[in-house]
Amino acid sequence: MCAKKTPRRGKSKARSNARSNDRPSDRPNALWGGRFGAGPAAIMEKINASIDFDKKLAIQDIAASIAHCEMLATRGIISRKDGDAIVSGLGKIAKEIQHGTFVFKHELEDIHMNVESRLTEIIGDAAGCLHTARSRNDQVATDFRLWVRDVLDQVEDALTGLQAALIARAEEHAATVMPGFTHLQTAQPVTFGHHMLAYVEMLGRDRGRVADARARLNESPLGAAALAGTSFPIDRRMTARALGFDRPMVNSLDAVSDRDFALEFLSAAAISAVHLSRLADEIVLWCSDAFGFVTLPDSFSTGSSIMPQKRNPDAAELIRAKSGRVAGALMGLLSALKGLPLAYSKDMQEDKEPVFEAADIWLLSLDAMTGMIGDLTVNAGAMREAAGRGHATATDLADWLVRVLDMPFRRAHQVTGLLVKLADEKGCGLADLSLTAMQSVEPRMTADVFKVLDVEKSVASRKSLGGTAPVNVRRAVAAARKTYL
């Protein structure tokens, strides 16, 4: 019952290139050669082939083919005998791929034809029935969605693992004081635990984007065929269920021609990579002699070929750099798709490499960052010392003037600025000024002001929702565990 087609024959008008390796072969392409009298030029075969990268889709391609075959047999479009032979042969091919014994052939262009060719070797002509009622257009769209869905599940697990590492450090350092910065200038004291939890929240939103992307891509293109659907009585809901999709895509043109799911994947990856890059950059700063806030273990550091004293945070630096490649992948695919008319164009073959590369970078960066966060040593003394520099409690002083002396904040800001200037002139911190010196600026000052100039008391006072007070951090740790882990 396998549908058969009689190919039309025609003459090729392809011209031979002057270079010998660019001349057409006399062997037509096995897939579409009925229309052509000669094979493609060598350079055409090279630029047209995608097997070097789309072999990543092998397992997904086999899964989709099995689902399609079972549907064809169930619907009586092909015989059950042929269907069973096809499924058995595809199972053997899957094992060959998993064991690394499958031979990928460049001349067969892509993963689809490599699998079909091997299937023909195993079961004979019945293999030709598999492509009934489908096209490589809906086939690759289905494979690609399955692959991206699988990677999103891996990313979800990796993001959760990094959150767990950050939450553990936040609990450990709920009361460890460090300087908080704006413009990379000392601003106000915070705790290291509070700082870690900021990234937990960023990663939580990353996970939200992953979940959203997964939900939107989870529709099946299979059965849309080349662009217009098929005249065979297929059951697209059956194949969608078999592959774990929520439903079939409702428009055949949209099903084969859009790659917004790949763009959404890259967008989520790029945003997450920026979050990782920011944390990586902070680790680079914190490891430097100028900061000395943390120390990376040997397992995440490298040395210098000429300077024996060096200890370089290369893992963090590489995460920071690789984020640019993820952003570039997004921009590259946006550019490739922006001018394409419906439905399929060969330009869309270029959709996979940026996604594959971004996925590898994203997962690698998450794993490396999780390792660094879990293993770094926090130098609490250096953080505490730095938190006391740069008049970090100046805002606490201004707040005290408002609260105790009933001073308008703008006036309190001005008075505090004058006191900071006075401390700079004397070469000391605000807490080191005498009460007499303070009263020279504001006569109503009392000794009570010194209670707010201590960095531990400063962070302890920040109890507003989302604030850095250790009691808040400990509550936030418990909430984060409940929400994210």
Side-chain angles (χ1 to χ4, degrees):
M1 298 183 69
C2 177
K4 297 181 180 179
K5 296 180 181 179
T6 302
R8 292 191 301 121
R9 299 192 62 83
K11 294 183 179 179
S12 171
K13 296 182 179 180
R15 291 176 297 175
S16 179
N17 191 287
R19 294 175 299 169
S20 61
N21 68 351
D22 195 33
R23 294 182 184 134
S25 72
D26 58 5
R27 178 183 54 82
N29 181 282
L31 175 62
W32 40 260
R35 171 65 177 82
F36 294 81
I43 193 66
M44 176 60 195
E45 191 171 84
K46 185 174 182 180
I47 196 174
N48 192 51
S50 59
I51 188 59
D52 289 341
F53 54 85
D54 69 14
K55 61 187 178 184
K56 276 181 173 281
L57 302 175
I59 297 303
Q60 289 78 18
D61 189 71
I62 290 171
S65 289
I66 289 173
H68 182 67
C69 178
E70 292 285 7
M71 181 275 295
L72 292 176
T74 299
R75 297 289 293 171
I77 298 170
I78 67 173
S79 69
R80 175 53 65 183
K81 178 181 178 182
D82 286 343
D84 290 344
I86 290 169
V87 170
S88 175
L90 289 170
K92 292 178 181 178
I93 294 171
K95 290 180 180 178
E96 290 177 356
I97 291 170
Q98 290 168 349
H99 296 155
T101 59
F102 186 89
V103 179
F104 294 98
K105 298 177 181 178
H106 199 267
E107 64 271 18
L108 292 174
E109 291 188 16
D110 57 31
I111 185 58
H112 320 300
M113 292 313 301
N114 268 266
V115 169
E116 185 173 320
S117 175
R118 177 62 180 138
L119 183 63
T120 302
E121 292 174 354
I122 295 173
I123 69 169
D125 290 343
C129 297
L130 175 59
H131 208 55
T132 306
R134 75 173 181 184
S135 162
R136 281 193 298 177
N137 293 355
D138 63 332
Q139 188 178 358
V140 70
T142 303
D143 295 353
F144 200 15
R145 282 176 182 262
L146 290 171
W147 189 91
V148 171
R149 190 179 70 185
D150 289 344
V151 171
L152 284 171
D153 290 343
Q154 295 175 51
V155 168
E156 164 70 15
D157 291 342
L159 285 165
T160 304
L162 178 52
Q163 283 184 303
L166 289 164
I167 290 169
R169 300 321 296 262
E171 182 174 44
E172 181 183 355
H173 294 282
T176 299
V177 177
M178 68 176 291
F181 299 97
T182 61
H183 309 279
L184 206 55
Q185 305 294 312
T186 299
Q188 294 177 313
V190 295
T191 68
F192 187 64
H194 191 59
H195 201 112
M196 293 291 96
L197 288 177
Y199 284 103
V200 170
E201 294 304 311
M202 295 181 207
L203 295 171
R205 292 189 293 276
D206 290 342
R207 286 177 61 185
R209 279 180 282 272
V210 165
D212 289 346
R214 193 190 192 285
R216 265 186 290 278
L217 74 75
N218 206 36
E219 296 181 339
S220 175
L222 194 58
L227 75 163
T230 178
S231 60
F232 289 98
I234 61 173
D235 185 346
R236 294 188 62 209
R237 290 180 177 82
M238 177 180 175
T239 52
R241 285 193 302 271
L243 295 170
F245 288 114
D246 294 330
R247 63 192 69 84
M249 298 183 73
V250 299
N251 184 284
S252 60
L253 286 167
D254 175 49
V256 301
S257 68
D258 204 2
R259 293 295 186 270
D260 55 359
F261 70 92
L263 291 173
E264 191 165 7
F265 173 87
L266 289 175
S267 178
I271 294 170
S272 182
V274 167
H275 289 154
L276 294 173
S277 180
R278 296 183 73 184
L279 179 52
D281 187 64
E282 293 199 300
I283 291 174
V284 171
L285 290 173
W286 294 342
C287 285
S288 68
D289 291 337
F291 282 77
F293 289 179
V294 303
T295 302
L296 283 179
D298 291 350
S299 54
F300 287 100
S301 304
T302 65
S304 166
S305 63
I306 189 172
M307 296 169 285
Q309 84 282 8
K310 292 295 295 298
R311 186 185 187 87
N312 301 322
D314 281 6
E317 291 173 359
L318 287 167
I319 290 173
R320 184 175 60 185
K322 287 177 184 294
S323 65
R325 290 169 61 189
V326 178
L330 172 60
M331 295 309 299
L333 187 54
L334 282 168
S335 299
L337 296 176
K338 68 178 180 61
L340 298 185
L342 300 183
Y344 183 86
S345 297
K346 196 67 171 183
D347 310 51
M348 296 173 73
Q349 183 168 291
E350 297 300 306
D351 59 357
K352 295 165 204 64
E353 287 183 283
V355 172
F356 293 161
E357 180 183 36
D360 288 343
I361 291 172
W362 197 3
L363 288 166
L364 177 62
S365 297
L366 285 167
D367 287 346
M369 184 60 75
T370 301
M372 282 191 289
I373 292 298
D375 292 349
L376 61 79
T377 299
V378 177
N379 304 323
M383 287 185 176
R384 170 61 178 82
E385 182 183 355
R389 297 196 296 264
H391 310 300
T393 56
T395 305
D396 297 271
L397 173 54
D399 290 346
W400 183 88
L401 292 171
V402 171
R403 191 168 53 249
V404 176
L405 301 186
D406 198 27
M407 189 180 289
F409 182 79
R410 287 302 174 200
R411 173 59 183 162
H413 187 285
Q414 183 182 32
V415 169
T416 302
L418 291 170
L419 289 168
V420 168
K421 181 179 180 182
L422 180 61
D424 283 342
E425 291 171 351
K426 293 179 175 292
C428 67
L430 283 171
D432 299 317
L433 287 173
S434 67
L435 179 59
T436 300
M438 289 188 177
Q439 289 173 337
S440 70
V441 175
E442 171 50 61
R444 293 182 293 163
M445 301 282 285
T446 68
D448 185 62
V449 71
F450 292 102
K451 294 179 181 179
V452 302
L453 299 180
D454 176 80
V455 293
E456 280 82 12
K457 291 179 180 177
S458 173
V459 297
S461 72
R462 307 288 172 180
K463 295 180 181 178
S464 60
L465 180 63
T468 190
V471 64
N472 281 20
V473 173
R474 293 186 179 98
R475 281 198 294 263
V477 163
R481 281 207 172 99
K482 185 176 180 180
T483 301
Y484 297 124
L485 304 184

